[in-house]
Amino acid sequence: MSPVATSDRAALAVTGITKRYGERTALRDVSFEIASGELVAVIGPNGAGKTTLLSILAGIASADAGSVSCPPRDVGWVPQQPAVYSKLSVRENLRLFARLERVADVDAAVARMLAQADLADRAGDEVGRLSGGNKQRVNIAVGLLAEPRVVLLDEPSSSLDPRQRERLWGFIGELASRGTTVVYSTHNVQEAERYADRVLVLADGELLFTGSPRELESTADRYSTGGDFEAAFVRFLHERGH
Amino acid sequence: MRWLLLKDLQILRRSPLLVVLLIVYPIVISLLIGFALSGGPSKPKIAVLNEIPTNQRTFDLGGRAVNADEYTARLFGSIDPTFVHTRADALKLVRDGRVLAAVILPADITEKLASGTQQATIEIAYNGEDAVKQRYVESVIRSRIADVNAALSKRFEQITVRYINLLLDGGSLNVFGRDLQVLGLTNAKKILDGAIASLPGGSPLRPALGQVDRFAAIAIQNLGASGAVLQSVSEPVRAQATNVAGSRRTPLDSYAVAVAVTVSLMFLTVLLASGLLALEREEHAFTRLVRGLVSRLGLLLEKIGLAALCSFTVTFGMVLALGAFFVELDWGRLPLWIVALAAGGIAFAAMGVAIGGVARELRAASLLAFLLALPVAFLALVPSGAVSSGLYDVVNGISAIFPFKPTLQALDAALNAGQRSIVGPLLHLLAVAVGYTVIARIALRRFG
Ligand SMILES: Nc1ncnc2c1ncn2[C@@H]1O[C@H](COP(=O)(O)OP(=O)(O)O)[C@@H](O)[C@H]1O
Ligand SMILES: [Mg+2]
């Protein structure tokens, strides 16, 4: 994959990505651009290809065809399951990954992330003893240690209760407002509607829709029979043959 | 890589169960081996019923008083005897499993021995509840009886030789308390020679006495050789041990040390390496790490290095402790011990990461490690000649692809100044280590 020429504003450009697992095509010719500082939600039902797409952007999986403009080194990665060591404390985890990322000032980066993720009072606790919400925040903090221009989060809210979700979205919103480009996946349509500048709809590996939540809503409205947004979204997918 | 290594050490330190296993396991193995070696085989418990009346313990054998206790002591020398007074007691102890067997010395045994013509019989009762025990008892008793027989037949031989000498040279013989003078063949011949010489030349007695004289000469000649003949009869086969040059000069105990240390090294290293690698996946950290933070090969080498380092430390301590307290080791060869342990540790660790890479999950990895380690050790310890040669080749072939046998050979060569070189096993270990690292690297393709 070689970087492709894009407009200056685009933090991330994806061109014609296809990914196959044996007979199964997980992604089919997916292309889009994401502007710097944008907060983008990738939505779609389970098995749509969201994780596959983010993994390719993160450099974990390789595409069978297509290219990604941003080198994986510049991308922060927050996997769906907290990828941190449960036997180490919050601070030890942050310090370890800061060193592995070769961050210039390890202590400063750790202190910054502890403050940003509101984890300073849990810094000495073993991650294994934290609640799911706090664990997820450590997971996100690790992904942000190297101050990447683009952050990818795979279903960051899926294992959290409503209160923890509120805090999470507050945190992610702040991140975007400071100029970081954020791409996250979710299968929760309302969440995407509320917490995204732009929505990408993925189903069966195909990119069906790109636009603002409002545009998605109005598109879905055409399929509405007076029910809620979610129901309209499902009918929208049906209409498109999924 | 350095940070990853420190991280893993920190995780290990915070896993008390694992650390206890790491430290306690080799200590237990060392102590078991150490005590087994220094204590020697414990004596089997045998019930003894001595029915020989006290006044018949001393009996007459060829005119000499023989004390039966002298021989029964020989019988009980390598057993732990429990003396009982009735046959029923003896059998009960056997039936209850309190003793391995009962030996019953019948009252008439000294009588039969003294007769010199009747075979004395000892009764042995044992509990044939399992085949191994039965074979063990039989071999213990048989070897004791062989000892007694050997001692007694030596005695019979001496007596017989004494009688023959009496026949040849004459002397006094005690019969029912009375000393009888025996002339002896040599003296008889002298008298006969004198008598023949004194006879007139044409005497009709001459040819007849000449025949008797020639018989006496032949008898003297042949009876003179009878001592050697008797000796060869009483000990027809004498075993002389010859060691086929250089094959195995290691004393058993330091070989046992090599086996114990290799077994510990194997379990520790394989479990540790496979577990540490599987843990990276279990914690979902693997995908994060291989996103440019560390290469897959680097990750494998880190796990191999860490597992080898930990198990080296523990097993090296184990060898030092065994050498200090239990077994005589040649301390001048210490550098070789280090080389052998390090090489074995690296090879086992490579096998461990291959297992961790293939199994992917912590529990599956541990299970696979155990399932593989046991038969591998078992196969490597199969001695040549215990199975058919074709099967032995197969066993050898299988052993060659696992690090156990070369590690055992390297450690054996390091511990014992034999003719076997350590270089061959070290090269073998290197090849095995590279092979498993390659397998692990391939397995990591679908690890994430
Ligand atoms: N490693 C893999 N091997 C084979 N098939 C896979 C693999 N990962 C994902 N898939 C398949 O690709 C499709 C997309 O999966 P995924 O990207 O995980 O979906 P989502 O994250 O949207 O739920 C699914 O059908 C899934 O079964
Ligand atoms: Mg997913």
Side-chain angles (χ1 to χ4, degrees):
Chain A
M1 263 183 294
S2 58
V4 291
T6 54
S7 62
D8 285 347
R9 248 174 44 80
L12 183 67
V14 170
T15 322
I17 281 189
T18 296
K19 173 74 181 177
R20 285 180 215 96
Y21 290 112
E23 290 289 284
R24 201 184 166 85
T25 303
L27 290 175
R28 184 175 293 122
D29 194 22
V30 173
S31 303
F32 57 87
E33 274 192 14
I34 292 172
S36 203
E38 230 182 340
L39 179 56
V40 175
V42 178
I43 62 172
N46 282 332
K50 305 183 292 294
T51 301
T52 305
L53 175 63
L54 294 188
S55 302
I56 290 171
L57 300 186
I60 291 162
S62 55
D64 295 310
S67 62
V68 180
S69 68
C70 193
R73 290 288 291 154
D74 295 349
V75 175
W77 166 241
V78 180
Q80 183 170 358
Q81 257 106 24
V84 285
Y85 297 103
S86 46
K87 286 277 179 193
L88 300 186
S89 72
V90 175
R91 181 180 280 115
E92 285 163 348
N93 266 295
L94 290 172
R95 189 173 283 149
L96 169 69
F97 283 104
R99 280 170 172 152
L100 290 174
E101 297 260 16
R102 299 187 182 77
V103 168
D105 188 343
V106 169
D107 287 338
V110 171
R112 177 171 49 80
M113 284 327 301
L114 284 175
Q116 240 184 69
D118 201 10
L119 285 165
D121 54 335
R122 315 306 295 268
D125 293 5
E126 260 183 35
V127 168
R129 302 224 174 88
L130 296 182
S131 67
N134 282 334
K135 224 179 261 179
Q136 183 63 296
R137 275 192 285 156
V138 180
N139 190 31
I140 294 170
V142 170
L144 296 174
L145 271 167
E147 298 191 81
R149 288 187 295 115
V150 179
V151 180
L152 311 170
L153 303 100
D154 193 11
E155 308 221 18
S157 64
S158 62
S159 60
L160 304 183
D161 65 33
R163 228 191 51 183
Q164 290 171 330
R165 276 177 202 220
E166 279 307 311
R167 291 186 65 179
L168 173 80
W169 291 119
F171 178 64
I172 289 176
E174 262 175 56
L175 204 63
S177 69
R178 277 199 299 268
T180 306
T181 307
V182 179
V183 181
Y184 68 88
S185 69
T186 177
H187 59 264
N188 183 327
V189 187
Q190 265 108 28
E191 216 167 57
E193 193 194 11
R194 221 179 304 164
Y195 308 106
D197 300 333
R198 204 142 62 93
V199 181
L200 307 181
V201 178
L202 209 57
D204 287 342
E206 273 180 77
L207 186 59
L208 298 183
F209 173 90
T210 326
S212 67
R214 191 164 302 283
E215 285 168 331
L216 177 66
E217 205 171 349
S218 64
T219 310
D221 268 348
R222 281 187 261 130
Y223 303 91
S224 172
T225 50
D228 61 1
F229 182 80
E230 185 110 31
F233 180 70
V234 170
R235 270 189 296 280
F236 165 68
L237 291 180
H238 261 296
E239 190 66 24
R240 303 291 296 260
H242 297 285
Chain B
M1 192 122 108
R2 169 172 53 127
W3 301 119
L4 266 189
L5 209 105
L6 290 175
K7 177 267 295 179
D8 280 334
L9 278 174
Q10 211 159 17
I11 289 178
L12 281 183
R13 228 183 42 217
R14 289 184 191 162
S15 313
L17 200 69
L18 199 64
V19 173
V20 164
L21 182 83
L22 280 178
I23 294 173
V24 167
Y25 184 83
I27 287 179
V28 168
I29 294 262
S30 311
L31 287 181
L32 283 178
I33 297 273
F35 284 130
L37 292 179
S38 60
S42 65
K43 296 177 174 182
K45 268 188 156 36
I46 306 271
V48 175
L49 173 61
N50 193 345
E51 290 181 326
I52 308 170
T54 336
N55 58 4
Q56 282 176 30
R57 298 262 164 103
T58 304
F59 61 98
D60 182 86
L61 199 58
R64 276 213 195 154
V66 172
N67 188 351
D69 289 341
E70 193 185 309
Y71 293 92
T72 48
R74 202 181 288 262
L75 193 57
F76 306 142
S78 62
I79 64 172
D80 176 10
T82 305
F83 293 99
V84 293
H85 298 293
T86 67
R87 198 184 145 80
D89 286 350
L91 296 181
K92 186 173 185 321
L93 286 178
V94 175
R95 208 170 294 119
D96 296 350
R98 305 259 304 279
V99 295
L100 215 46
V103 173
I104 298 164
L105 304 173
D108 63 359
I109 189 169
T110 53
E111 218 172 285
K112 284 185 171 166
L113 279 175
S115 77
T117 54
Q118 278 175 289
Q119 199 171 29
T121 309
I122 292 177
E123 187 187 353
I124 293 157
Y126 55 80
N127 195 338
E129 64 182 355
D130 76 61
V132 176
K133 197 164 156 182
Q134 178 166 343
R135 177 180 280 199
Y136 174 62
V137 175
E138 281 172 353
S139 79
V140 165
I141 302 283
R142 201 168 283 154
S143 73
R144 293 301 88 209
I145 292 194
D147 283 355
V148 174
N149 275 337
L152 280 171
S153 66
K154 198 90 201 154
R155 199 60 193 261
F156 280 125
E157 174 202 317
Q158 286 167 1
I159 292 162
T160 314
V161 168
R162 217 151 45 76
Y163 278 130
I164 289 170
N165 286 342
L166 194 67
L167 274 177
L168 270 175
D169 303 330
S172 66
L173 177 64
N174 185 298
V175 180
F176 303 117
R178 283 200 337 186
D179 272 344
L180 290 179
Q181 281 306 311
V182 176
L183 180 62
L185 275 171
T186 320
N187 292 329
K189 189 173 182 296
K190 273 187 201 141
I191 294 169
L192 208 58
D193 286 347
I196 291 172
S198 68
L199 280 175
S203 166
L205 275 175
R206 257 188 187 245
L209 281 178
Q211 275 181 353
V212 176
D213 189 52
R214 274 194 299 281
F215 165 72
I218 290 168
I220 290 165
Q221 220 165 39
N222 287 296
L223 280 177
S226 62
V229 172
L230 278 173
Q231 207 160 22
S232 75
V233 167
S234 73
E235 200 180 354
V237 177
R238 213 160 61 84
Q240 187 184 2
T242 308
N243 195 341
V244 181
S247 57
R248 166 98 255 150
R249 291 186 4 202
T250 309
L252 182 66
D253 49 2
S254 63
Y255 184 67
V257 169
V259 173
V261 171
T262 308
V263 169
S264 301
L265 189 69
M266 171 179 68
F267 276 114
L268 292 184
T269 325
V270 172
L271 281 174
L272 207 55
S274 63
L276 284 171
L277 185 64
L279 190 70
E280 294 289 5
R281 186 175 177 275
E282 203 113 310
E283 299 268 45
H284 307 286
F286 178 76
T287 50
R288 191 163 249 164
L289 290 177
V290 295
R291 281 189 66 234
L293 302 188
V294 54
S295 72
R296 284 170 166 83
L297 186 61
L299 186 70
L300 289 179
L301 294 181
E302 182 260 332
K303 302 300 174 221
I304 291 174
L306 181 69
L309 187 75
C310 290
S311 58
F312 172 84
T313 311
V314 173
T315 49
F316 186 54
M318 189 174 158
V319 176
L320 295 184
L322 283 169
F325 299 115
F326 295 110
V327 199
E328 192 89 8
L329 293 180
D330 180 359
W331 294 90
R333 303 174 69 80
L334 194 132
L336 287 178
W337 307 351
I338 293 176
V339 172
L341 285 176
I346 288 168
F348 277 127
M351 179 178 159
V353 292
I355 289 173
V358 170
R360 289 147 52 103
E361 262 140 35
L362 198 56
R363 279 181 210 180
S366 308
L367 188 65
L368 191 57
F370 261 109
L371 287 181
L372 270 176
L374 281 176
V376 163
F378 176 74
L379 279 185
L381 293 172
V382 169
S384 64
V387 291
S388 71
S389 68
L391 185 58
Y392 185 65
D393 288 342
V394 173
V395 165
N396 257 350
I398 295 174
S399 288
I401 60 174
F402 294 106
F404 189 91
K405 197 160 189 177
T407 302
L408 183 60
Q409 287 168 343
L411 207 54
D412 190 23
L415 287 170
N416 304 295
Q419 285 162 1
R420 203 205 301 255
S421 157
I422 195 175
V423 177
L426 287 183
L427 290 176
H428 190 163
L429 284 173
L430 181 72
V432 169
V434 170
Y436 280 108
T437 309
V438 169
I439 292 174
R441 179 60 191 82
I442 293 170
L444 282 199
R445 283 193 188 159
R446 40 164 231 120
F447 195 63

